Amino acid sequence: KRHKFWETQPVGQFKDAGDTSVPEGPIEPPAPLSEVKQEPYNLPSPYEWTTCDMDSEGTCTEVYNLLKNNYVEDDESMFRFNYSKEFLRWALHPPGYYKSWHIGVRAKASKKLVAFITGIPARIRVRDVVVRMAEINFLCVHKKLRSKRLAPVMIKEVTRRVHLENIWQAAYTAGVVLPTPITTCQYWHRSLNPKKLIDVGFSRLGARMTMSRTMKLYKLPDSPATPGFRKMELRDVPAVTRLLRDYLSQFVVAPDFDENDVEHWLLPHENVVDSYLVESPKTHEITDFCSFYTLPSSILGNQTYSTLKAAYSYYNVSSKTPLLQLMNDALIVAKQKDFDVFNALDVMQNECFLKELKFGPGDGQLHYYLYNYRTRHALKPSELGLVLL
Ligand SMILES: CCOC(=O)c1cnc2ccc(OC)cc2c1SCCC#N
């Protein structure tokens, strides 16, 4: 398949596949900042660059509406992601973020926001090397402006602004295959509200199954089973950071979270991220942790329902409580919070609970990519310890 743009970029090229003679690491060296293009790339004449201040209520609403109406849909156009404003502010304002990396494109005449792309800084470890990277996300071009080749110039512009901060690597995901995935993950879905998922046409009644039999199959207890299972609080940040850093050290690619990162990414934030831990009733030691983020989707073309309330597995650590039991408690609290479905990728050790907790495999795949960084060979999903929003 021709990738006119990606064949010009420092990413693993399909033609080099299998060539393990090249060492793991950057594909191109950093350039002196004086050699980085100082002015923005040219857009087609009707359009102009804009920097989106997500702390501005008006701008945040414009970004929210652009994504709500034009962002990623599943292959059957049953759902479209509907990231909330609160979630977008959380996702784009981690410690050390750059407003200049929240890039919009406006139509000069109407001043309407017609496209968006973002970066946030992150420290990502690849094997034993911690690399400063940009996590690229929320690339969105208005439906009416597709195939105008806006995406390549937006990717070049965010890359330029990342280079200006002396960062030369990036991480991103896509539902499509580009040169060249470091790994390919599978989505899995655990019904919490099976009747709604059947009514919207996502799930189907199993053979010889009634609706009431199906609802019983997915029924969960009213409260978590693990003694000492409770919401995470600010005072838990140091202990959760230690627990998470130890746990993530087993994976080939994982974030290098410090306490500031844990406070931002994992402290409960209503309608954005929920996190729980197990504090041993006896020793008061924090032994386990689980978390999920809130990402609703618009349900397209359904008379009865307009929104799917979906929870997405985030970072989970089990050191004393079996991961199966910990994740069943996560399902229980997600159901208590009226989520319709609990989604998880087959990354980290998730495989060990997916089938047993009645997750079903999705038909979508998620490909993970690194920019300007070659890994010796592709990873298995179980070697990946990174969840991007
Ligand atoms: C019921 C299970 O499917 C989803 O939760 C869902 C919801 N919204 C989407 C919007 C765009 C979309 O585009 C790929 C997929 C979905 C999906 S399935 C893949 C995400 C997961 N898990």
Side-chain angles (χ1 to χ4, degrees):
K1 189 170 176 312
R2 301 278 311 135
H3 289 280
K4 274 182 62 48
F5 168 68
W6 286 108
E7 284 158 5
T8 71
Q9 298 297 300
V11 292
Q13 297 296 333
F14 290 136
K15 63 181 177 1
D16 303 334
D19 177 1
T20 52
S21 62
V22 287
E24 182 154 292
I27 294 170
E28 288 178 351
L33 291 202
S34 55
E35 283 181 24
V36 178
K37 192 173 184 307
Q38 300 299 302
E39 66 288 341
Y41 281 90
N42 289 332
L43 281 166
S45 56
Y47 306 108
E48 64 188 6
W49 296 113
T50 183
T51 295
C52 294
D53 177 1
M54 299 303 285
D55 285 329
S56 145
E57 184 57 31
T59 304
C60 191
T61 301
E62 284 185 282
V63 169
Y64 168 77
N65 283 318
L66 174 74
L67 295 174
K68 177 182 172 61
N69 296 316
N70 301 279
Y71 200 45
V72 183
E73 297 173 13
D74 66 298
D75 288 346
E76 294 162 42
S77 289
M78 187 180 293
F79 303 119
R80 186 186 305 128
F81 289 128
N82 180 15
Y83 287 86
S84 71
K85 286 197 276 189
E86 198 51 28
F87 188 106
L88 292 168
R89 274 191 283 264
W90 170 71
L92 296 175
H93 289 169
Y97 77 92
Y98 303 93
K99 274 192 191 305
S100 60
W101 293 8
H102 305 158
I103 305 170
V105 175
R106 290 187 186 281
K108 282 175 185 162
S110 63
K111 296 300 176 197
K112 281 201 183 309
L113 189 68
V114 296
F116 190 58
I117 188 167
T118 68
I120 56 167
R123 284 186 325 286
I124 306 286
R125 178 181 51 74
V126 184
R127 257 180 267 275
D128 56 352
V129 181
V130 175
V131 183
R132 289 206 70 208
M133 295 196 188
E135 287 178 5
I136 304 304
N137 205 350
F138 303 115
L139 169 55
C140 179
V141 173
H142 194 287
K143 282 170 178 274
K144 292 186 175 139
L145 301 184
R146 301 281 165 88
S147 304
K148 285 179 173 290
R149 306 298 292 169
L150 277 177
V153 69
M154 292 171 70
I155 295 167
K156 284 193 280 195
E157 181 60 14
V158 74
T159 304
R160 185 187 72 85
R161 297 189 190 191
V162 167
H163 285 163
L164 287 175
E165 303 298 344
N166 200 24
I167 291 175
W168 304 92
Q169 272 74 37
Y172 51 102
T173 60
V176 291
V177 179
L178 304 168
T180 298
I182 60 163
T183 195
T184 294
C185 307
Q186 185 86 36
Y187 280 116
W188 288 72
H189 315 292
R190 206 287 185 183
S191 293
L192 299 176
N193 182 347
K195 181 174 181 322
K196 180 169 177 180
L197 292 180
I198 290 168
D199 288 352
V200 304
F202 175 79
S203 306
R204 284 181 306 286
L205 262 188
R208 293 186 303 285
M209 287 283 280
T210 60
M211 184 62 83
S212 71
R213 172 94 178 74
T214 302
M215 290 162 74
K216 219 168 285 165
L217 175 70
Y218 290 108
K219 186 144 181 54
L220 289 160
D222 291 338
S223 51
T226 309
F229 187 88
R230 64 168 173 81
K231 282 190 76 149
M232 178 184 177
E233 299 167 20
L234 184 60
R235 64 188 169 95
D236 302 311
V237 165
V240 168
T241 304
R242 272 192 297 279
L243 192 70
L244 188 55
R245 288 184 64 86
D246 290 349
Y247 184 77
L248 291 175
S249 66
Q250 70 186 291
F251 303 112
V252 172
V253 171
D256 181 59
F257 283 144
D258 65 17
E259 289 188 6
N260 285 333
D261 301 314
V262 168
E263 182 175 338
H264 178 78
W265 291 120
L266 295 168
L267 214 48
H269 186 150
E270 196 173 358
N271 294 324
V272 171
V273 60
D274 289 272
S275 51
Y276 295 84
L277 51 78
V278 178
E279 175 181 344
S280 158
K282 204 159 142 282
T283 67
H284 297 287
E285 185 199 359
I286 291 176
T287 55
D288 312 278
F289 175 82
C290 63
S291 59
F292 51 87
Y293 60 85
T294 300
L295 170 47
S297 281
S298 302
I299 301 173
L300 307 174
N302 184 280
Q303 308 308 322
T304 320
Y305 301 101
S306 61
T307 302
L308 178 81
K309 191 171 177 187
Y312 286 75
S313 178
Y314 199 28
Y315 289 98
N316 306 300
V317 181
S318 91
S319 84
K320 291 282 180 315
T321 308
L323 189 57
L324 199 69
Q325 179 182 322
L326 186 69
M327 292 312 293
N328 201 56
D329 284 345
L331 293 177
I332 290 166
V333 290
K335 174 64 181 172
Q336 280 173 336
K337 290 167 168 284
D338 207 24
F339 283 94
D340 298 321
V341 65
F342 191 102
N343 295 322
L345 290 164
D346 58 354
V347 297
M348 294 183 268
Q349 298 177 317
N350 290 357
E351 246 178 311
C352 87
F353 63 76
L354 291 169
K355 287 190 182 115
E356 199 141 355
L357 293 185
K358 301 183 182 121
F359 284 73
D363 50 18
Q365 292 191 312
L366 190 66
H367 308 278
Y368 275 74
Y369 300 94
L370 293 181
Y371 183 93
N372 194 22
Y373 202 89
R374 206 192 307 278
T375 55
R376 199 163 298 117
H377 29 68
L379 276 54
K380 293 176 286 188
S382 58
E383 293 175 312
L384 182 69
L386 177 64
V387 176
L388 298 183
L389 302 171

